[in-house]
Amino acid sequence: MKDLRGIYPALPTPMDKTGAVDRGALEALVEYEIGEGVEGLYVGGSTAESFLLTEEERMAVAETVLKKAAGKVNVIVHTGSGGTDGAVRLSKHAKEHGADAISSVPPIYFKYTTEEVIGYYRTLIEEADMPLVVYNIPAFTGINMTTGPARELFKHPRVVALKHTNTNMYELERVLAHNPGLVALNGYDEAFLSGLSMGAEGMIGSTVNFMAKKFIALRAAFRSGNNAEAFKLQREVNEIVETMVEVGVFNAVKHAVSLKAKIECGSCRGPFKPLSEADKKRVEQVLEKNL
Ligand code: MN9
């Protein structure tokens, strides 16, 4: 089993002027991230606008990243979908193309019972025969996997990691305490230091795309016990995150990648609204001050 600990950018999906997926830009981004020293890539998550892409596009994105990464770093492919069948197809596809693990948010929109949610995850694991990273993001899905009976899922031997996109650090610590061997990857970049202090052994984040080195330095400061430095770096991150969330985080990340990595990512699909010129300026200024 691959060691999934580490710092991962949640890759955006670069799009050209017509709104089509730009595979060339995505390849360039994969190369850039590996050069920045990340330990893995997270493909097709929230930042990738996965729920705004067709199944074919999601497969093309996963294939492009897996081929370009060529085993140099871990690749986790998010295969979560509105329904079990689609998620199984995406998971089998990820396996065929060499992903190290699949990952999924719980099934969204309809209100499923906990048994149904756990059943969904079990089906993905069994049908794709893959290790799974549970993507817990209750603010988006309305389902919390780290509290109540849903936590049973973490007992499954092939549930190897949790993407904890939640600021409840007590729940993170409790899930880890009850499931030795489970790897936690922090999901909110603005809470990385808190996550580390409660047992996370890495992170998956949208802002990693353009400041991986800052997160690597933050982790190093934490590990060496330099709390003041770790906190200073987290504060700089948070200045950036605050502005980005205000203007729309996914478009802001795409803009920051075009500035820092010199890779044009285009705009997010609707209903997301493209950044105004004033918003772009705000992003540029906050990066200049804190990067
Ligand atoms: O994948 C991202 N989650 C979401 C991780 O966007 C839902 C985070 O990196 C956030 O974008 C970031 C800003 O809140 O922490």
Side-chain angles (χ1 to χ4, degrees), residues 8-12 29 33 42 46-48 135 163 186-190 203-212 215 241 244-245 249-254 256-257:
Y8 296 64
L11 296 172
L29 183 57
E33 296 303 336
Y42 192 78
S46 312
T47 311
Y135 182 0
K163 177 183 189 310
N186 197 73
Y188 280 129
D189 309 4
E190 54 274 39
M203 69 177 296
I204 297 167
S206 63
T207 67
V208 178
N209 283 291
F210 58 88
M211 54 176 170
F215 290 106
V241 167
M244 289 195 151
V245 168
V249 69
F250 303 127
N251 266 313
V253 166
K254 283 186 156 181
V257 169

Side-chain angles (χ1 to χ4, degrees), residues 38-116:
V38 302
E39 284 112 2
L41 303 166
Y42 192 78
V43 182
S46 312
T47 311
E49 306 162 61
S50 58
F51 286 97
L52 304 176
L53 303 180
T54 66
E55 197 172 301
E56 290 69 31
E57 286 175 319
R58 291 180 64 180
M59 288 182 179
V61 163
E63 262 178 75
T64 305
V65 175
L66 284 159
K67 195 156 173 232
K68 190 72 188 171
K72 288 182 202 134
V73 294
N74 292 335
V75 178
I76 301 172
V77 180
H78 176 260
T79 59
S81 195
T84 307
D85 294 351
V88 166
R89 283 192 296 272
L90 287 162
S91 301
K92 285 185 170 170
H93 174 271
K95 175 173 176 143
E96 263 164 43
H97 291 84
D100 296 296
I102 53 168
S103 180
S104 179
V105 292
I108 56 170
Y109 186 67
F110 293 111
K111 298 294 166 213
Y112 302 105
T113 63
T114 301
E115 196 189 335
E116 286 165 334

Side-chain angles (χ1 to χ4, degrees), residues 135-242:
Y135 182 0
N136 192 42
I137 176 163
F140 279 19
T141 63
I143 301 171
N144 186 0
M145 301 302 297
T146 56
T147 190
R151 285 181 304 186
E152 265 310 297
L153 179 60
F154 296 103
K155 300 260 177 273
H156 192 296
R158 301 210 79 187
V159 172
V160 293
L162 159 68
K163 177 183 189 310
H164 181 75
T165 307
N166 189 347
T167 49
N168 189 325
M169 297 304 163
Y170 171 62
E171 283 180 18
L172 170 63
E173 185 275 333
R174 285 293 85 199
V175 167
L176 290 174
H178 292 306
N179 298 281
L182 184 74
V183 167
L185 299 169
N186 197 73
Y188 280 129
D189 309 4
E190 54 274 39
F192 185 37
L193 180 54
S194 341
L196 285 172
S197 71
M198 287 299 224
E201 294 182 281
M203 69 177 296
I204 297 167
S206 63
T207 67
V208 178
N209 283 291
F210 58 88
M211 54 176 170
K213 291 203 166 101
K214 200 185 276 290
F215 290 106
I216 293 169
L218 199 163
R219 179 183 60 187
F222 172 79
R223 284 183 178 164
S224 65
N226 189 345
N227 292 341
E229 176 66 10
F231 186 73
K232 175 184 158 272
L233 291 166
Q234 184 68 67
R235 177 151 282 176
E236 288 165 3
V237 166
N238 292 4
E239 293 291 335
I240 294 168
V241 167
E242 186 178 31

